Amino acid sequence: MSDLTKLTIAGARDALRKGETTSVEITEACLSAIEGAGALNAFVHHTPEIALEQARTADARIAGGDAPAMCGVPLGIKDLFCTKGVNSQAASAILGGFKPEYESTVTSQLFDAGAVMLGKLNMDEFAMGSSNETSTYGNAVNPWRRGNDDTALTPGGSSGGSASAVAADLCLAATGTDTGGSIRQPAAFTGITGLKPTYGRVSRWGIIAFASSLDQAGPMTKDVRDCAIMLQAMAGHDPKDSTSADLAVPDFEAMLTGDIKGKVIGIPKEYRMEGMPEEIEALWAEGIEMLKAAGAEIRDISLPHTKYALPAYYVIAPAEASSNLARYDGVRFGHRAKLAQGDGIVEMYEKTRAEGFGAEVKRRVMVGTYVLSAGYYDAYYNRARKVRALIKRDFDEVFAAGVDAILTPATPSAAFGLGEMAEADPVQMYLNDVFTVTVNLAGLPGIAVPTGTSANGLPLGLQLIGRPWEEGDLMNTAYALEQAAGFVAKPGKWW
């Protein structure tokens, strides 16, 4: 077979079962593509020996008839996932050289299912960012270009390396994590599909924490069917994670019928932001018409506390980050600063963190420490928690009134140029998460689906938000939208 790297997970599964190719052949094709794509800076730790060994094992399983759907499928793994014996740095200098002696639950389940690890993927440091510009490895680069413009574009963040690698056909799919939109925003920026599951559907054990009540791992794939297949392998109860839900994992792929007749799709008026580009408005309107034509009922809804979501998120997430990142002190693992004569433990902490953490991480740790400090805890953190409860209640009420899914834009714009936001107020960068943070605050599933292109040829995506634990139903609606949109555009190869 030719163009093996362009295969979807479903396409690879079928080709492998028919004997049309082997996992080793697909893996070698991906490794070759990765070698030639250094300009994208998507893969930051390469594991070809592990990949080929896993591929050979997968081929033996397939030949023996013991082959789950993910068996033999080459993946990229975000650097936030701990992988045994392989660098797992969360794109931070403070974890330089850290090689865990254990495997995250998600990667364990994927490897048990026969998936192949090509290497570790670039990301924003500790998942803090919307443009993959805070990584110790340097920027990941979007494979798309604005028309004939050579400006390097962001692939989004924090899962920018994952998005870039999937969009450029360096791997068949990738793992991502989503704390405020870090799967869905990069998916929309690169023309791929990204799913953030319900909080608790996928184990967080062995994933380096940013904000523990918001973080959730999910699949980043070439289409909705692949999301369903990969989520099946990633999901499930994990006794090592106290927030993991003890619920059965349905056959998500079998639920993809494309039939959404009679489904009620909510359109929230609060997501019509002032100053939103016309092409985003037009894309949203087109998405509404597509779902209506597929037989869904369109209903205007209100989520009144949406306007408070971004400030609440940027209190809660930094507060949890300041607590989670306190463990990086130069004592137990990772980077330790060189100390001068007479330096004590306090100086070691200060110098190690000053050298190891980047500017964005330091900013968020300081904000988080401030809002948790005596005198400010009630004024900021407790108030943000109350707002979060109100945001969740808004969604609960809408779903209780019969709405099955909610359609919104995924991002407020197409991908922007790397460095274009460098001089902007940090809040301007945070606004990239305006449509996505509510989903994390409420613990809901959300999916970004590519549905169109901007005036200068960049991909644009729409977001669907579903009921808790109903990822199958959500993906079926997304599948209907995907079928109607017929998005097939790919980036022209320049790298």
Side-chain angles (χ1 to χ4, degrees), residues 16-17 57-69 71:
L16 288 165
R17 301 301 175 283
T57 302
D59 282 333
R61 284 180 74 175
I62 292 166
D66 168 33
C71 192

Side-chain angles (χ1 to χ4, degrees), residues 277-290:
E278 283 183 21
E279 59 189 12
I280 300 291
E281 284 271 16
L283 184 82
W284 195 8
E286 287 167 17
I288 291 168
E289 289 306 313
M290 289 176 197

